[in-house]
Amino acid sequence: MDEGEQRSQRHVRRTVSMLGACLATTAAGTVYLFSTYGPALSHRLNLSSSQSNVVAISANYGLLLSGPFFGWAADTMGPRVLSLIAGIGSFTAFTALAYTYSGAWQMPSWLMLALYMVLVGLSAQSANMAAVTTTTKNFKQNRGSAVSLCIAFFGLSPFVLSHVNTVFFAGDEPDTFGYLKFLSFLGLVTSVAAAGCLTVVGFGPSRYQSVPPGFVVDRAPSSSSSSGLLSDRDDESVYGAVKAVAPSRVQELGEGSAGSSTTAGPVDVAPSGVDYDTARDLGGWAYVNDVEARLLMLVLFLCAGIGIFYNNNIGTMVNAMYYSSTPHPEARTAQRLINHHVAVVSLGSFVGRLTIGIVADMCKRIWRLPRSGILVVITACVLVSQLVVISATTLPSLLVGSACTGLSYGFTFGFVPTLVSVWFGTRHFGANWGITTVFTGFSGQMLGAVFGRVYDANLPDRDPAQCPQGACYRAAFGLAVTVAIAGVIAAAVLAKRRARRRRDNRRRWEAEEIEHVEYVPFVLAE
């Protein structure tokens, strides 16, 4: 088989795998649907707002705390096994919720609902890791755009499914049981289909026919090197990764080091074309102990937790706004309004996840803006969204807050995976991304617990009609604003450290201190 046929086959397999990744994240998105059935579930089973918050956040605990394990599994076992696990788990969890809601299964304690939701989260994480890890390992050029497209379907799923609920299940008497059964079969079918599509294809041969001036192919001898260079067993090294070398050293290294990669044609890269935003091949404890990795975890902990908290409580907020502002409220209308807000949050998340990778790639390639600076802008968007929500006193203004929160949440979760892969390498990406997200649920739980306490304290009889203009829960968003401000500060500190690293690398490269220059796998500001 000639090179052209091999390239064509890789392209087809990569495309099919991308479709499978989108199916997998669609199934994973059901974890964000609690607000579409949570109020009905809480009313039927007589749960307080605090108890409902515990049930809702349990899905996020299952999703996020299992990240390191499923990330490791994706790196070692492959995506297909994880997709099948996701399908079986999702079917079991939503079936249990459906029959508990109907009364067919007796519930010894409301904490059983929390266990079912943990299983929903575990299934979602299994599907999500299978999709994101596979996509990251299949794309090198435009990786940010590819990962964003994959993750975007995670955000789009609640938008589509909330509309399905509105059209087919939110009648005069909402059919919550039927909706939960539908979700159980949906998760099973989409996960099995994704398992048939997902496969790790790899990057393929380098696009360089000859190594550009100022670069040599990196042949690091071992993955245990203290310098953190990628080993020759890693795809980014085998397929033409290059290391920056001062121009005066190129002749010393000889033509043998000029690499043997083959593709379309030579690419001339000036020294200004070097991306000094370096990647280090870190994993395990080396990743956990890295200061920049910890700062990135902190940013995600603070900013993504706000989105999780908002997703879990938007149903309660809409009910309070609607029942307190309408003389003759109807359950059908309330459910439709909740579905509408969930759809808007989901659509905002989808747009944010989809666009941030494309925009970031363009900013990096065209204007050479550092990724760490883009992260600061994203955290500022999170802060603005919470300022909009805390000032909302009507359903239309709350809808604007829902759109802004969904958009900023999508920006955050669509961009940070790319940072993990670019800054810390792809070999351990699954485990690293799982570790990065593991604590995010705790910030969502903290904010949710505060929301539940504030809401229950202001409405001891649980009557949402006594909450004019959202006054019964607004104090909880004062804490959300404070958390968002902390997120902006953490992102700014991280950006300052990355800027110092880029300056040091450039200074050493220009001073020809080659042995001290960190690994640079992304030429042309990839």
Side-chain angles (χ1 to χ4, degrees), residues 304-326:
I306 291 174
I308 293 171
F309 148 70
Y310 193 86
N311 267 310
N312 291 338
N313 291 283
I314 185 59
T316 301
M317 295 160 61
V318 170
N319 264 341
M321 283 275 193
Y322 172 68
Y323 281 97
S324 64
S325 61
T326 305

Side-chain angles (χ1 to χ4, degrees), residues 238-480:
V238 171
Y239 295 126
V242 294
K243 187 177 181 182
V245 176
S248 63
R249 290 281 308 274
V250 174
Q251 295 299 324
E252 298 176 25
L253 293 165
E255 294 182 2
S257 67
S260 52
S261 33
T262 62
T263 62
V267 179
D268 185 19
V269 181
S272 61
V274 180
D275 182 4
Y276 295 96
D277 209 5
T278 58
R280 295 167 292 154
D281 184 34
L282 298 183
W285 285 112
Y287 178 77
V288 173
N289 291 326
D290 185 77
V291 175
E292 291 174 6
R294 289 182 175 182
L295 283 170
L296 192 58
M297 293 179 207
L298 179 60
V299 171
L300 195 66
F301 170 81
L302 296 169
C303 294
I306 291 174
I308 293 171
F309 148 70
Y310 193 86
N311 267 310
N312 291 338
N313 291 283
I314 185 59
T316 301
M317 295 160 61
V318 170
N319 264 341
M321 283 275 193
Y322 172 68
Y323 281 97
S324 64
S325 61
T326 305
H328 306 289
E330 298 178 352
R332 177 183 180 181
T333 304
Q335 184 62 55
R336 288 182 179 274
L337 286 171
I338 291 172
N339 290 344
H340 187 50
H341 275 260
V342 171
V344 168
V345 172
S346 173
L347 183 61
S349 178
F350 170 75
V351 172
R353 293 170 194 245
L354 181 64
T355 58
I356 190 59
I358 299 171
V359 171
D361 282 348
M362 290 178 59
C363 290
K364 187 69 178 171
R365 288 175 180 275
I366 299 173
W367 298 294
R368 305 195 59 76
L369 295 178
R371 295 180 181 89
S372 53
I374 298 171
L375 183 64
V376 175
V377 176
I378 290 172
T379 57
C381 291
V382 174
L383 174 58
V384 170
S385 72
Q386 296 314 290
L387 292 174
V388 172
V389 172
I390 199 173
S391 62
T393 57
T394 63
L395 281 169
S397 59
L398 183 61
L399 190 65
V400 176
S402 294
C404 293
T405 301
L407 189 66
S408 61
Y409 184 66
F411 285 160
T412 304
F413 257 108
F415 188 59
V416 176
T418 302
L419 296 183
V420 174
S421 67
V422 171
W423 289 351
F424 304 102
T426 59
R427 184 187 306 164
H428 306 289
F429 170 79
N432 289 349
W433 176 231
I435 292 170
T436 304
T437 61
V438 71
F439 298 111
T440 307
F442 291 107
S443 58
Q445 170 63 45
M446 175 190 69
L447 292 168
V450 171
F451 180 94
R453 286 184 177 275
V454 170
Y455 186 89
D456 289 340
N458 290 325
L459 294 179
D461 57 356
R462 303 179 192 173
D463 180 10
Q466 304 303 314
C467 182
Q469 299 182 333
C472 61
Y473 61 75
R474 182 165 291 111
F477 282 91
L479 178 60

Side-chain angles (χ1 to χ4, degrees), residues 44-166:
R44 173 68 66 91
L45 301 176
N46 196 31
L47 302 182
S48 68
S49 179
S50 296
Q51 290 172 334
S52 181
N53 257 291
V54 172
V55 172
I57 200 66
S58 295
N60 296 112
Y61 279 143
L63 175 75
L64 299 168
L65 295 182
S66 63
F69 170 75
F70 284 119
W72 168 83
D75 288 335
T76 57
M77 298 168 59
R80 292 181 175 175
V81 174
L82 266 65
S83 292
L84 293 175
I85 291 173
I88 295 170
S90 180
F91 177 80
T92 303
F94 281 111
T95 298
L97 286 171
Y99 284 104
T100 300
Y101 173 84
S102 68
W105 291 5
Q106 296 301 314
M107 185 178 63
S109 168
W110 63 271
L111 289 174
M112 287 299 297
L113 293 176
L115 291 178
Y116 300 152
M117 293 304 294
V118 167
L119 184 54
V120 170
L122 290 171
S123 305
Q125 186 64 281
S126 182
N128 181 53
M129 278 298 180
V132 176
T133 301
T134 302
T135 303
T136 300
K137 293 183 177 182
N138 281 346
F139 291 88
K140 183 175 182 180
Q141 297 295 326
N142 302 313
R143 181 183 294 162
S145 302
V147 172
S148 293
L149 176 62
C150 168
I151 295 178
F153 279 84
F154 202 164
L156 182 64
S157 177
F159 170 76
V160 174
L161 295 177
S162 62
H163 275 293
V164 169
N165 185 21
T166 298

